[in-house]
Amino acid sequence: MSAPPAFDVQLARLIEARGVDAGSLARRAEVAETAVTSVLGGGEPEPLLLRRLAPALGLHRSDLFIIADRPVPDDLTLQDPAEAAALIWDARRLTADQLRQVYDRAHAIRHERADELEPALRCGCPGPA
């Protein structure tokens, strides 16, 4: 299995998929355009930049940290590993229809949260596969 493309390539693909350019993304994220172009040129993204770019791209902040192959900050993760294990344990008992309902609701919440953060950014595009 090959490694995923470098973050600059993935970011360029996200920008293209969202139908924006580096300048408009920078404005939406309220960061300097040079910060975005630096990362597109192969520079390492700073954590604050990732936090600001994620909602501007219609993504959860933690997802963009993962895409960038950077450690996800504690405030963006479940604090209790037992909580995550309990969710997984409970989910295994659900039927396929129930799992689809959970997925659909989680997807709706994701878009509701994106709407709250920046209504103009919601494009209806799915996140990276």
Side-chain angles (χ1 to χ4, degrees), residues 2 7 16 34 66 81 100 115 128-129:
S2 62
F7 182 63
E16 182 179 345
T34 55
I66 292 167
R100 170 56 57 191
D115 287 344

Side-chain angles (χ1 to χ4, degrees), residues 6-12 15 22 33-45 49 53:
F7 182 63
D8 58 337
V9 173
Q10 294 186 63
L11 180 59
I15 288 171
E33 185 174 350
T34 55
V36 175
T37 56
S38 172
V39 172
L40 287 170
E44 284 292 316
L49 180 64
L53 288 178

Side-chain angles (χ1 to χ4, degrees), residues 45-119:
E46 294 294 324
L48 180 59
L49 180 64
L50 293 174
R51 285 178 181 269
R52 289 180 175 244
L53 288 178
L57 290 165
L59 299 171
H60 281 285
R61 288 175 176 91
S62 58
D63 291 343
L64 198 56
F65 276 86
I66 292 167
I67 293 167
D69 196 28
R70 302 290 302 264
V72 178
D74 288 343
D75 67 311
L76 299 178
T77 62
L78 288 174
Q79 296 300 310
D80 183 0
E83 193 176 328
L87 287 172
I88 293 168
W89 185 258
D90 290 343
R92 71 181 181 81
R93 297 184 186 136
L94 299 176
T95 65
D97 187 52
Q98 290 169 324
L99 283 171
R100 170 56 57 191
Q101 290 176 25
V102 170
Y103 173 82
D104 290 345
R105 182 62 189 134
H107 188 73
I109 290 170
R110 173 181 178 201
H111 285 287
E112 289 167 11
R113 290 180 62 197
D115 287 344
E116 291 169 9
L117 291 172
E118 188 73 41

Side-chain angles (χ1 to χ4, degrees), residues 19-32:
V20 298
D21 60 25
S24 61
L25 176 63
R27 285 187 295 281
R28 290 177 179 180
E30 298 180 355
V31 299

